[in-house]
Amino acid sequence: MTTSSTDPGSMDAQTSGNGAKPGPMLAADGTPLKRSLNRALRRQKLRALMLIAPLLIFVLITFIAPIADMLFRSVRNEIVQETLPMTVEALKSWDEETTELPDEKVFEAAYYDMFLAAEQKLHTRLGTRLNYELTGISSLFRKTGRAVDRFDTDKYVDDFAALDPSWKDPATWAAMFANEDIAKALPQTAHLWQRWTDFLQTKNEDPAKEDVEPFLFTSLYSELMAGADVSGLSPRLEQAAGAVKTFTPVSIEQQFIDADKDWGNHEVWATIKTYSPAYTPGYFLNAVDAQLTADGVSARPENEQIYGILFKRTIFMSITITLSCIMLGYPVAWLLANLPMRTANILMILVLLPFWTSLLVRTSAWKVMLQQQGVINDVLVWLGIISDSGRLIMINNQFGTIVAMTHILLPFMILPLYSVMQTIPPTYLRAAKSLGATNWVAFWRVYFPQSVPGIGAGSILVFILAIGYYITPEIVGGTTGTFISNRIAYHISSSLNWGLAAALGSILLAAVLILYYAYDRIVGIDNVKLG
Amino acid sequence: MKLTKALLAATAVAIAGTAYAASHSDMANEMTLVSWGGAYQNSQQKAYVEPYLAEHPDVSVTWDESSAEAVAKLRAMNEAGNITWDLVDVVASDAIRLCDEGLAMEVDFDEVLAPGDDGSTPTDDFGEMLVSDCYIPQIVYSTTVGYRTDMVGDTPPTDICAIFDTETYPGKRSLEKRPINNMEWALLCDGVPKAEIYDVLETEEGQQRALDKLATIKDDVIWWSSGADTPQLLADGEVVMGSTYNGRLFSVIEEQDQPVAMLWDAQVFDLDGWIIPTGLPEDRLARVLDFVKFATDTQRLADQAKYISYGPARKSSAPLVGKHAELGIEMGPHMPTDPANAKNTFIYNYEFWADYRDDIDAKFQAWLAQ
């Protein structure tokens, strides 16, 4: 049966069409009906898909992709590897558990990386990144970037030039590394020469005309000292290989420590090593008041824990705001749905009016109303309810945020409630009463259950809007009424810690999705009606 | 006489410049300037944009009021590879970060800027105001404290520590919702000598000490995040004193005639100036350099003080500061740099805060939230 329907051209289908044997039903053109229907449906689906394709692509490109990209920043950390590739490699063999500093090899690698990074002005960017993890790295990198081209390694330049003045000529170097055998014998120096010339070319400068920088000589010196086999490659190199032992070595470690004593700090190296992988859980740990150190994950010091408090507060206050919106919105929606059309329309305008007023104006108006020298306090003092010295504090705290945000979000509760209530026939209430129900029972047992989908829709709208709000809490929230979004905004626009902002945003998004899922399981999303 | 000559010379150069530009047309004719909006942007518009446009009628200027988010936006533009701004007005700490991130262009001051009217080189004329290689300062402003003259009794405060003295000056105070300035003032009033403040603030104990001092007035503080907050709170009598930018206080006192006075003690100097984004195409860069040279010369910076009470960043501009364009009052005594006002000042410690900002801010915000 299945074979015949997937293979309609077979004899089986043909014969069954003639009614000789029972078989699949055939369409007018002789193909089995199932297949024909499938084809028609597929075409319809395709047409539907094509119709929504512009919107789908638009949403994907302008909405989903940027958000995904932004959230992805919460784990991305390539900057360390990209800026200090050799250092990261050299640090692999260093054990950060010991109290010892990394060896000279690591310092040397750091010198090459730092020199190139400073030329490209990338070192300060990395300094800013690592400063999020260890205070002080920002200026450490900035200072070292300035010092790195004044290291005493220029001594090597003079030493080599004393052997043969042509060492100073960039053309010598270019010719030297054009020779593949030499490049193989001196892999590190060849690699650095490559990075250096690549960099010069991005700046449209000719490597054959720029001075050969001391870091290249340092690398050459160190490779020759390590016993690179250059015999038979070039007389100049052979001469140098024989002479390097007589050079006085320069301690790169000492150069770094002279530039800034913090390079002698074990923690700096441990931080670089801890954050060298391309992906890091560090931002997420920061977002939950923990930190990633060389010793593993640990909680932040108590006086720096803030995000836990803010997440809890955000959820708690958003729920409070949603509940206040239900309390205030329900009667209004009921009135709107049950008054005669004419009056209802006027009321409707009053509900919509705030939509046409700027958000900032509405929030600032609450400031004027609620502050200690504000309208409400003035009236209360005038009425003698409170004394002049005992004016109420109603703003720059949680209360102020809840009042202002309830006001701002109220229409999002009233409108879905209203549209649901309009569909409830008033005859149901009358029928309940005529059957002997009291007003309360008629409302609670008959009317209210039918309006629940409206409450559900309104609550979801208000809650999700509230949880991501930040302008209003910023203005009226003081210190106890601010939300997690205020910190996200701060990290996006002020501290520029986009990774942390993305991690906080991801957690917030996850929290909303979990709550949505829970809501679906408990109430059922099918029960939500917008109209 | 000298001034007229200088002006004539400047005009001649400018006209020659225009002719050159017109004949070669290698300068873009559109510029997008980024600033703060409000009175400050207006002072820039009046003092140098309008005069420049009068000389270059082909050029059009678009303002973008995004300075507050300039660093974040420039970083995003740079990642997207599409820089739409030509010249961006930022505070010094932001300029240093932009320079660090490679988002602002390094400038050779002596080559790009006009020499001072007194013949000094730009480097000498701006002097220590040149805090970053990318940053062309325009004005010096200060964060200082204003108080209600009718709410402080017969003994108006003369000392920054009045903020912490809730017995003599009961009532609310408004302070900025960030550690910068507040931590310094707290330590100063806790008895730390001014020269040692940053050494103390580097340590955990020092940071805790500053927060403990601030904790003594925590219940009396309204924390502000927008420069307009303190002026409004003072005008409404909601606070007895509060910190804000000196230009904002000037407009409360002189333009709106409120019973408010300025403390000036321990005011914190900061700078505002231009940066040029990296990666501008050549024609746009040429136009921007031409404009910046004009807009930061001695006369233009002095002119700006006619419209707002911020001090010009050039030393040579100070003697040229005149009267307010509308109120007709002498602006000299309202400058934060005026000797009478600048008896006891702080200079924003850019390097310290570049390092410690994230760390101390985390502690400060956690302290606020608890």
Side-chain angles (χ1 to χ4, degrees), chain A residues 73 121 124-125 131 135 139 142 304 313 371-373 474 478-479 487 490 494 496, chain B residues 71 75 79 97 100-101 106 177 223 225 232 236 238 355 359 361 363 365 369:
Chain A
R73 283 167 193 270
K121 303 202 190 327
T124 41
R125 204 179 284 198
N131 201 63
T135 297
S139 72
R142 203 177 311 117
E304 285 180 28
R313 182 192 288 165
Q371 63 185 6
Q372 277 189 291
Q373 308 294 324
E474 185 69 36
T479 58
R487 287 315 282 168
Y490 167 81
S494 292
L496 291 193
Chain B
V71 187
R75 197 200 238 189
E79 283 188 12
R97 288 198 293 166
D100 275 359
E101 295 233 341
E106 284 186 15
K177 202 195 265 183
W223 301 94
S225 45
Q232 176 257 323
D236 286 353
E238 191 73 4
D355 277 351
D359 184 40
D361 196 76
K363 286 179 188 151
Q365 298 295 343

mmCIF file of all heavy atoms in Angstrom, chain A residues 73 121 124-125 131 135 139 142 304 313 371-373 474 478-479 487 490 494 496, chain B residues 71 75 79 97 100-101 106 177 223 225 232 236 238 355 359 361 363 365 369:
data_model
loop_
_atom_site.group_PDB
_atom_site.id
_atom_site.type_symbol
_atom_site.label_atom_id
_atom_site.label_comp_id
_atom_site.label_asym_id
_atom_site.label_seq_id
_atom_site.Cartn_x
_atom_site.Cartn_y
_atom_site.Cartn_z
ATOM 1 N N ARG A 73 28.075 37.540 22.353
ATOM 2 C CA ARG A 73 29.214 38.236 22.958
ATOM 3 C C ARG A 73 29.432 37.842 24.408
ATOM 4 O O ARG A 73 30.496 38.073 24.955
ATOM 5 C CB ARG A 73 28.975 39.748 22.940
ATOM 6 C CG ARG A 73 29.209 40.357 21.604
ATOM 7 C CD ARG A 73 28.657 41.770 21.603
ATOM 8 N NE ARG A 73 28.599 42.264 20.250
ATOM 9 C CZ ARG A 73 29.596 42.912 19.669
ATOM 10 N NH1 ARG A 73 30.688 43.154 20.332
ATOM 11 N NH2 ARG A 73 29.485 43.325 18.434
ATOM 12 N N LYS A 121 47.994 49.609 17.993
ATOM 13 C CA LYS A 121 47.110 50.203 19.003
ATOM 14 C C LYS A 121 46.011 49.246 19.430
ATOM 15 O O LYS A 121 44.846 49.617 19.535
ATOM 16 C CB LYS A 121 46.488 51.492 18.475
ATOM 17 C CG LYS A 121 47.537 52.486 18.055
ATOM 18 C CD LYS A 121 47.005 53.878 18.055
ATOM 19 C CE LYS A 121 47.983 54.825 17.394
ATOM 20 N NZ LYS A 121 49.392 54.488 17.581
ATOM 21 N N THR A 124 45.702 48.572 24.261
ATOM 22 C CA THR A 124 44.842 49.231 25.244
ATOM 23 C C THR A 124 43.444 48.622 25.246
ATOM 24 O O THR A 124 42.782 48.552 26.264
ATOM 25 C CB THR A 124 44.749 50.729 24.949
ATOM 26 O OG1 THR A 124 44.647 50.900 23.534
ATOM 27 C CG2 THR A 124 45.978 51.443 25.446
ATOM 28 N N ARG A 125 43.033 48.144 24.069
ATOM 29 C CA ARG A 125 41.732 47.503 23.984
ATOM 30 C C ARG A 125 41.723 46.228 24.839
ATOM 31 O O ARG A 125 40.783 45.958 25.573
ATOM 32 C CB ARG A 125 41.461 47.156 22.515
ATOM 33 C CG ARG A 125 40.012 47.040 22.195
ATOM 34 C CD ARG A 125 39.831 46.736 20.738
ATOM 35 N NE ARG A 125 40.032 47.897 19.879
ATOM 36 C CZ ARG A 125 39.589 47.940 18.627
ATOM 37 N NH1 ARG A 125 38.945 46.911 18.115
ATOM 38 N NH2 ARG A 125 39.786 49.000 17.889
ATOM 39 N N ASN A 131 40.887 44.475 32.362
ATOM 40 C CA ASN A 131 40.645 45.274 33.558
ATOM 41 C C ASN A 131 39.310 44.913 34.213
ATOM 42 O O ASN A 131 39.120 45.109 35.404
ATOM 43 C CB ASN A 131 40.664 46.762 33.191
ATOM 44 C CG ASN A 131 40.918 47.651 34.386
ATOM 45 O OD1 ASN A 131 41.973 47.578 34.995
ATOM 46 N ND2 ASN A 131 39.948 48.460 34.756
ATOM 47 N N THR A 135 41.559 44.724 38.385
ATOM 48 C CA THR A 135 41.730 46.168 38.371
ATOM 49 C C THR A 135 43.198 46.537 38.226
ATOM 50 O O THR A 135 44.039 45.961 38.909
ATOM 51 C CB THR A 135 41.177 46.746 39.674
ATOM 52 O OG1 THR A 135 39.791 46.456 39.697
ATOM 53 C CG2 THR A 135 41.373 48.238 39.743
ATOM 54 N N SER A 139 45.799 50.354 32.962
ATOM 55 C CA SER A 139 46.926 51.302 32.901
ATOM 56 C C SER A 139 48.242 50.549 32.749
ATOM 57 O O SER A 139 49.193 51.075 32.181
ATOM 58 C CB SER A 139 46.957 52.192 34.130
ATOM 59 O OG SER A 139 47.362 51.453 35.243
ATOM 60 N N ARG A 142 48.538 50.204 29.091
ATOM 61 C CA ARG A 142 48.770 51.500 28.452
ATOM 62 C C ARG A 142 50.220 51.945 28.667
ATOM 63 O O ARG A 142 50.900 52.371 27.744
ATOM 64 C CB ARG A 142 47.788 52.538 29.004
ATOM 65 C CG ARG A 142 47.581 53.703 28.050
ATOM 66 C CD ARG A 142 46.558 54.720 28.529
ATOM 67 N NE ARG A 142 45.321 54.122 28.955
ATOM 68 C CZ ARG A 142 44.850 54.199 30.209
ATOM 69 N NH1 ARG A 142 45.532 54.842 31.130
ATOM 70 N NH2 ARG A 142 43.722 53.639 30.529
ATOM 71 N N GLU A 304 30.577 43.388 46.645
ATOM 72 C CA GLU A 304 30.442 43.616 45.206
ATOM 73 C C GLU A 304 29.278 42.846 44.618
ATOM 74 O O GLU A 304 29.087 42.846 43.408
ATOM 75 C CB GLU A 304 31.739 43.204 44.487
ATOM 76 C CG GLU A 304 32.865 44.192 44.683
ATOM 77 C CD GLU A 304 34.119 43.767 43.959
ATOM 78 O OE1 GLU A 304 34.013 43.066 42.947
ATOM 79 O OE2 GLU A 304 35.213 44.131 44.431
ATOM 80 N N ARG A 313 14.870 41.664 42.585
ATOM 81 C CA ARG A 313 14.055 42.868 42.699
ATOM 82 C C ARG A 313 13.247 43.107 41.411
ATOM 83 O O ARG A 313 12.078 43.476 41.458
ATOM 84 C CB ARG A 313 14.963 44.062 42.971
ATOM 85 C CG ARG A 313 14.198 45.339 43.160
ATOM 86 C CD ARG A 313 15.126 46.504 43.129
ATOM 87 N NE ARG A 313 15.944 46.595 44.317
ATOM 88 C CZ ARG A 313 17.031 47.364 44.391
ATOM 89 N NH1 ARG A 313 17.410 48.071 43.349
ATOM 90 N NH2 ARG A 313 17.729 47.420 45.494
ATOM 91 N N GLN A 371 7.103 64.170 44.769
ATOM 92 C CA GLN A 371 8.254 64.573 45.579
ATOM 93 C C GLN A 371 7.807 65.245 46.876
ATOM 94 O O GLN A 371 6.641 65.579 47.058
ATOM 95 C CB GLN A 371 9.208 65.452 44.779
ATOM 96 C CG GLN A 371 8.618 66.756 44.319
ATOM 97 C CD GLN A 371 9.576 67.534 43.423
ATOM 98 O OE1 GLN A 371 10.630 67.063 43.066
ATOM 99 N NE2 GLN A 371 9.197 68.747 43.077
ATOM 100 N N GLN A 372 8.774 65.440 47.778
ATOM 101 C CA GLN A 372 8.404 65.897 49.122
ATOM 102 C C GLN A 372 7.806 67.294 49.108
ATOM 103 O O GLN A 372 6.974 67.616 49.946
ATOM 104 C CB GLN A 372 9.615 65.835 50.043
ATOM 105 C CG GLN A 372 9.801 64.430 50.588
ATOM 106 C CD GLN A 372 10.856 64.379 51.665
ATOM 107 O OE1 GLN A 372 12.025 64.561 51.400
ATOM 108 N NE2 GLN A 372 10.436 64.136 52.889
ATOM 109 N N GLN A 373 8.263 68.112 48.174
ATOM 110 C CA GLN A 373 7.644 69.433 48.032
ATOM 111 C C GLN A 373 6.623 69.389 46.894
ATOM 112 O O GLN A 373 6.291 70.408 46.304
ATOM 113 C CB GLN A 373 8.703 70.496 47.722
ATOM 114 C CG GLN A 373 9.876 70.531 48.670
ATOM 115 C CD GLN A 373 9.480 70.948 50.072
ATOM 116 O OE1 GLN A 373 8.597 71.785 50.231
ATOM 117 N NE2 GLN A 373 10.096 70.362 51.079
ATOM 118 N N GLU A 474 15.098 54.516 36.172
ATOM 119 C CA GLU A 474 16.285 55.373 36.270
ATOM 120 C C GLU A 474 15.894 56.745 36.817
ATOM 121 O O GLU A 474 16.600 57.329 37.624
ATOM 122 C CB GLU A 474 16.927 55.511 34.886
ATOM 123 C CG GLU A 474 18.230 56.280 34.841
ATOM 124 C CD GLU A 474 19.375 55.552 35.521
ATOM 125 O OE1 GLU A 474 19.422 54.317 35.434
ATOM 126 O OE2 GLU A 474 20.201 56.243 36.158
ATOM 127 N N GLY A 478 15.456 55.999 42.303
ATOM 128 C CA GLY A 478 16.425 56.199 43.366
ATOM 129 C C GLY A 478 17.399 55.037 43.411
ATOM 130 O O GLY A 478 17.891 54.603 42.376
ATOM 131 N N THR A 479 17.668 54.535 44.623
ATOM 132 C CA THR A 479 18.595 53.420 44.722
ATOM 133 C C THR A 479 17.875 52.096 44.923
ATOM 134 O O THR A 479 18.377 51.053 44.543
ATOM 135 C CB THR A 479 19.552 53.618 45.906
ATOM 136 O OG1 THR A 479 18.763 53.744 47.082
ATOM 137 C CG2 THR A 479 20.386 54.845 45.716
ATOM 138 N N ARG A 487 21.373 48.343 34.917
ATOM 139 C CA ARG A 487 22.768 47.913 34.888
ATOM 140 C C ARG A 487 23.166 47.495 33.473
ATOM 141 O O ARG A 487 24.290 47.719 33.049
ATOM 142 C CB ARG A 487 23.004 46.738 35.850
ATOM 143 C CG ARG A 487 22.987 47.083 37.308
ATOM 144 C CD ARG A 487 23.741 48.307 37.662
ATOM 145 N NE ARG A 487 25.193 48.161 37.722
ATOM 146 C CZ ARG A 487 26.021 49.184 37.799
ATOM 147 N NH1 ARG A 487 25.568 50.425 37.806
ATOM 148 N NH2 ARG A 487 27.307 48.987 37.854
ATOM 149 N N TYR A 490 23.865 50.528 31.650
ATOM 150 C CA TYR A 490 25.126 51.102 32.104
ATOM 151 C C TYR A 490 26.317 50.391 31.446
ATOM 152 O O TYR A 490 27.258 51.031 30.984
ATOM 153 C CB TYR A 490 25.220 50.994 33.627
ATOM 154 C CG TYR A 490 26.594 51.261 34.189
ATOM 155 C CD1 TYR A 490 27.040 52.569 34.369
ATOM 156 C CD2 TYR A 490 27.452 50.223 34.513
ATOM 157 C CE1 TYR A 490 28.302 52.820 34.859
ATOM 158 C CE2 TYR A 490 28.719 50.466 34.996
ATOM 159 C CZ TYR A 490 29.145 51.768 35.179
ATOM 160 O OH TYR A 490 30.404 52.012 35.650
ATOM 161 N N SER A 494 28.090 52.965 29.232
ATOM 162 C CA SER A 494 29.105 53.650 30.034
ATOM 163 C C SER A 494 30.357 52.820 30.257
ATOM 164 O O SER A 494 31.447 53.246 29.932
ATOM 165 C CB SER A 494 28.536 54.048 31.398
ATOM 166 O OG SER A 494 27.579 55.032 31.242
ATOM 167 N N LEU A 496 31.111 50.015 28.894
ATOM 168 C CA LEU A 496 31.485 49.343 27.641
ATOM 169 C C LEU A 496 31.816 47.869 27.837
ATOM 170 O O LEU A 496 32.471 47.272 27.015
ATOM 171 C CB LEU A 496 32.671 50.029 26.976
ATOM 172 C CG LEU A 496 32.424 51.395 26.401
ATOM 173 C CD1 LEU A 496 33.579 51.779 25.510
ATOM 174 C CD2 LEU A 496 31.145 51.435 25.599
ATOM 175 N N VAL B 71 30.758 56.896 23.088
ATOM 176 C CA VAL B 71 31.758 55.829 23.065
ATOM 177 C C VAL B 71 31.125 54.532 22.555
ATOM 178 O O VAL B 71 31.662 53.862 21.676
ATOM 179 C CB VAL B 71 32.364 55.625 24.468
ATOM 180 C CG1 VAL B 71 33.504 54.639 24.389
ATOM 181 C CG2 VAL B 71 32.872 56.936 25.022
ATOM 182 N N ARG B 75 31.922 52.759 18.907
ATOM 183 C CA ARG B 75 32.413 51.398 18.870
ATOM 184 C C ARG B 75 31.532 50.558 17.941
ATOM 185 O O ARG B 75 32.040 49.781 17.129
ATOM 186 C CB ARG B 75 32.386 50.815 20.281
ATOM 187 C CG ARG B 75 33.239 49.582 20.415
ATOM 188 C CD ARG B 75 32.800 48.811 21.613
ATOM 189 N NE ARG B 75 33.886 48.614 22.560
ATOM 190 C CZ ARG B 75 33.769 47.801 23.617
ATOM 191 N NH1 ARG B 75 32.634 47.191 23.847
ATOM 192 N NH2 ARG B 75 34.763 47.633 24.428
ATOM 193 N N GLU B 79 32.612 48.754 14.425
ATOM 194 C CA GLU B 79 32.431 47.329 14.146
ATOM 195 C C GLU B 79 31.646 47.122 12.862
ATOM 196 O O GLU B 79 31.884 46.171 12.121
ATOM 197 C CB GLU B 79 31.721 46.639 15.319
ATOM 198 C CG GLU B 79 32.670 46.406 16.474
ATOM 199 C CD GLU B 79 32.048 45.566 17.575
ATOM 200 O OE1 GLU B 79 30.971 44.977 17.355
ATOM 201 O OE2 GLU B 79 32.657 45.506 18.650
ATOM 202 N N ARG B 97 39.295 56.786 26.582
ATOM 203 C CA ARG B 97 38.869 55.428 26.241
ATOM 204 C C ARG B 97 38.783 55.240 24.727
ATOM 205 O O ARG B 97 39.167 54.204 24.196
ATOM 206 C CB ARG B 97 37.513 55.117 26.888
ATOM 207 C CG ARG B 97 37.645 54.942 28.389
ATOM 208 C CD ARG B 97 36.464 54.243 28.962
ATOM 209 N NE ARG B 97 35.280 55.063 28.857
ATOM 210 C CZ ARG B 97 34.060 54.580 29.046
ATOM 211 N NH1 ARG B 97 33.886 53.300 29.280
ATOM 212 N NH2 ARG B 97 33.024 55.379 28.980
ATOM 213 N N ASP B 100 42.222 54.848 23.546
ATOM 214 C CA ASP B 100 42.683 53.501 23.911
ATOM 215 C C ASP B 100 42.150 52.453 22.958
ATOM 216 O O ASP B 100 42.837 51.495 22.617
ATOM 217 C CB ASP B 100 42.178 53.143 25.315
ATOM 218 C CG ASP B 100 43.096 53.672 26.397
ATOM 219 O OD1 ASP B 100 44.111 54.278 26.036
ATOM 220 O OD2 ASP B 100 42.794 53.474 27.577
ATOM 221 N N GLU B 101 40.915 52.594 22.571
ATOM 222 C CA GLU B 101 40.298 51.577 21.723
ATOM 223 C C GLU B 101 40.653 51.777 20.255
ATOM 224 O O GLU B 101 40.200 51.021 19.395
ATOM 225 C CB GLU B 101 38.773 51.617 21.891
ATOM 226 C CG GLU B 101 38.334 51.240 23.288
ATOM 227 C CD GLU B 101 37.300 50.140 23.289
ATOM 228 O OE1 GLU B 101 36.671 49.920 22.243
ATOM 229 O OE2 GLU B 101 37.136 49.489 24.326
ATOM 230 N N GLU B 106 44.681 60.044 16.410
ATOM 231 C CA GLU B 106 45.693 60.830 17.113
ATOM 232 C C GLU B 106 45.968 62.104 16.324
ATOM 233 O O GLU B 106 45.978 62.093 15.101
ATOM 234 C CB GLU B 106 46.970 60.013 17.291
ATOM 235 C CG GLU B 106 46.821 58.999 18.392
ATOM 236 C CD GLU B 106 48.110 58.271 18.697
ATOM 237 O OE1 GLU B 106 49.175 58.723 18.268
ATOM 238 O OE2 GLU B 106 48.024 57.235 19.381
ATOM 239 N N LYS B 177 24.896 59.662 40.921
ATOM 240 C CA LYS B 177 24.809 58.223 41.186
ATOM 241 C C LYS B 177 26.001 57.493 40.573
ATOM 242 O O LYS B 177 25.840 56.622 39.721
ATOM 243 C CB LYS B 177 23.500 57.692 40.575
ATOM 244 C CG LYS B 177 23.018 56.385 41.216
ATOM 245 C CD LYS B 177 21.971 55.726 40.348
ATOM 246 C CE LYS B 177 20.572 56.092 40.772
ATOM 247 N NZ LYS B 177 19.559 55.403 39.981
ATOM 248 N N TRP B 223 20.020 60.519 44.693
ATOM 249 C CA TRP B 223 21.098 60.271 43.729
ATOM 250 C C TRP B 223 20.636 60.647 42.332
ATOM 251 O O TRP B 223 19.621 60.153 41.864
ATOM 252 C CB TRP B 223 21.522 58.802 43.775
ATOM 253 C CG TRP B 223 21.995 58.397 45.130
ATOM 254 C CD1 TRP B 223 21.245 57.821 46.114
ATOM 255 C CD2 TRP B 223 23.300 58.586 45.678
ATOM 256 N NE1 TRP B 223 22.018 57.622 47.239
ATOM 257 C CE2 TRP B 223 23.286 58.078 46.995
ATOM 258 C CE3 TRP B 223 24.489 59.125 45.177
ATOM 259 C CZ2 TRP B 223 24.411 58.108 47.824
ATOM 260 C CZ3 TRP B 223 25.598 59.145 46.005
ATOM 261 C CH2 TRP B 223 25.554 58.645 47.312
ATOM 262 N N SER B 225 21.176 61.157 38.087
ATOM 263 C CA SER B 225 21.926 60.586 36.971
ATOM 264 C C SER B 225 21.904 61.500 35.760
ATOM 265 O O SER B 225 22.589 61.253 34.785
ATOM 266 C CB SER B 225 21.411 59.200 36.607
ATOM 267 O OG SER B 225 20.018 59.201 36.560
ATOM 268 N N GLN B 232 16.747 71.185 39.105
ATOM 269 C CA GLN B 232 15.305 71.072 39.348
ATOM 270 C C GLN B 232 15.031 70.867 40.836
ATOM 271 O O GLN B 232 14.143 71.500 41.415
ATOM 272 C CB GLN B 232 14.743 69.904 38.530
ATOM 273 C CG GLN B 232 13.268 69.616 38.749
ATOM 274 C CD GLN B 232 13.041 68.386 39.637
ATOM 275 O OE1 GLN B 232 13.773 67.411 39.555
ATOM 276 N NE2 GLN B 232 12.045 68.472 40.501
ATOM 277 N N ASP B 236 12.959 73.459 43.236
ATOM 278 C CA ASP B 236 11.740 73.054 43.939
ATOM 279 C C ASP B 236 11.911 73.048 45.449
ATOM 280 O O ASP B 236 10.968 72.750 46.172
ATOM 281 C CB ASP B 236 11.319 71.652 43.489
ATOM 282 C CG ASP B 236 10.724 71.653 42.099
ATOM 283 O OD1 ASP B 236 10.524 72.761 41.567
ATOM 284 O OD2 ASP B 236 10.465 70.569 41.557
ATOM 285 N N GLU B 238 13.529 70.890 47.001
ATOM 286 C CA GLU B 238 13.502 69.490 47.404
ATOM 287 C C GLU B 238 14.805 69.111 48.128
ATOM 288 O O GLU B 238 14.799 68.241 48.985
ATOM 289 C CB GLU B 238 13.313 68.652 46.123
ATOM 290 C CG GLU B 238 13.006 67.202 46.319
ATOM 291 C CD GLU B 238 11.598 66.912 46.814
ATOM 292 O OE1 GLU B 238 10.784 67.846 46.951
ATOM 293 O OE2 GLU B 238 11.322 65.737 47.085
ATOM 294 N N ASP B 355 41.469 52.961 35.490
ATOM 295 C CA ASP B 355 41.762 51.658 36.086
ATOM 296 C C ASP B 355 40.682 51.207 37.047
ATOM 297 O O ASP B 355 40.275 50.058 37.049
ATOM 298 C CB ASP B 355 43.080 51.730 36.865
ATOM 299 C CG ASP B 355 44.270 51.554 35.966
ATOM 300 O OD1 ASP B 355 44.047 51.207 34.800
ATOM 301 O OD2 ASP B 355 45.388 51.772 36.432
ATOM 302 N N ASP B 359 35.861 48.548 39.036
ATOM 303 C CA ASP B 359 35.928 47.918 40.340
ATOM 304 C C ASP B 359 35.157 48.729 41.380
ATOM 305 O O ASP B 359 34.276 48.221 42.083
ATOM 306 C CB ASP B 359 37.410 47.808 40.729
ATOM 307 C CG ASP B 359 37.587 47.079 42.026
ATOM 308 O OD1 ASP B 359 36.864 46.096 42.235
ATOM 309 O OD2 ASP B 359 38.452 47.487 42.832
ATOM 310 N N ASP B 361 33.052 51.107 40.892
ATOM 311 C CA ASP B 361 31.645 51.276 40.553
ATOM 312 C C ASP B 361 30.833 50.060 40.995
ATOM 313 O O ASP B 361 29.709 50.199 41.486
ATOM 314 C CB ASP B 361 31.477 51.487 39.044
ATOM 315 C CG ASP B 361 30.109 52.033 38.731
ATOM 316 O OD1 ASP B 361 29.902 53.234 38.958
ATOM 317 O OD2 ASP B 361 29.239 51.256 38.302
ATOM 318 N N LYS B 363 31.433 48.173 43.524
ATOM 319 C CA LYS B 363 31.250 48.273 44.977
ATOM 320 C C LYS B 363 30.233 49.360 45.326
ATOM 321 O O LYS B 363 29.385 49.182 46.199
ATOM 322 C CB LYS B 363 32.581 48.586 45.653
ATOM 323 C CG LYS B 363 33.492 47.386 45.680
ATOM 324 C CD LYS B 363 34.816 47.724 46.323
ATOM 325 C CE LYS B 363 35.745 46.538 46.140
ATOM 326 N NZ LYS B 363 37.131 46.930 46.071
ATOM 327 N N GLN B 365 27.786 50.602 43.477
ATOM 328 C CA GLN B 365 26.405 50.255 43.127
ATOM 329 C C GLN B 365 25.855 49.193 44.070
ATOM 330 O O GLN B 365 24.675 49.216 44.422
ATOM 331 C CB GLN B 365 26.324 49.772 41.675
ATOM 332 C CG GLN B 365 26.742 50.804 40.642
ATOM 333 C CD GLN B 365 25.830 52.013 40.604
ATOM 334 O OE1 GLN B 365 24.714 51.977 41.102
ATOM 335 N NE2 GLN B 365 26.311 53.108 40.031
ATOM 336 N N ALA B 369 22.606 49.585 46.420
ATOM 337 C CA ALA B 369 21.454 48.697 46.296
ATOM 338 C C ALA B 369 21.116 48.019 47.621
ATOM 339 O O ALA B 369 20.008 47.524 47.792
ATOM 340 C CB ALA B 369 21.724 47.648 45.222
#
